[in-house]
Amino acid sequence: GELCLEGTKREYPEPVVITYKPGDDVSSQTLSLKSKQVEGILNAGYEGDMGNMLKSMRQLNFQARVGANEDIFTAKIITEYKD
């Protein structure tokens, strides 16, 4: 996560940073990102956390580009959230 943030800051010196613990419900964090009109999200979590975030985004009708370590994009995530 720290390396991801460090690289992001090279292009976006003041990124919006929202943290969570693995397994947390991230609905409130996702709503905060939507309210700040964030256009892109880097998620340094795990498959389950990515699924929770994408589920929250779907429920909130929040469209943003999503990036993460390619290991997070498992067949389950790609199939369930291909949109």
Side-chain angles (χ1 to χ4, degrees):
E2 290 84 16
L3 288 175
C4 232
L5 180 58
E6 186 178 311
T8 300
K9 285 183 176 181
R10 290 184 197 144
E11 296 297 320
Y12 304 96
E14 295 183 32
V16 174
V17 177
I18 296 181
T19 60
Y20 63 88
K21 294 179 184 163
D24 280 357
D25 174 9
V26 293
S27 298
S28 60
Q29 289 93 331
T30 306
L31 181 59
S32 177
L33 293 171
K34 181 179 180 179
S35 70
K36 293 177 184 190
Q37 299 178 335
V38 169
E39 295 178 9
I41 299 169
L42 292 175
N43 187 326
Y46 299 101
E47 177 200 35
D49 300 315
M50 177 63 79
N52 288 340
M53 185 189 74
L54 293 171
K55 179 180 177 184
S56 294
M57 290 175 72
R58 183 180 280 165
Q59 290 170 339
L60 295 167
N61 195 30
F62 174 35
Q63 299 290 318
R65 292 177 184 244
V66 177
N69 182 320
E70 68 183 42
D71 294 346
I72 292 175
F73 296 107
T74 62
K76 177 183 176 185
I77 294 292
I78 292 169
T79 300
E80 194 167 333
Y81 298 100
K82 60 185 170 192
D83 58 329

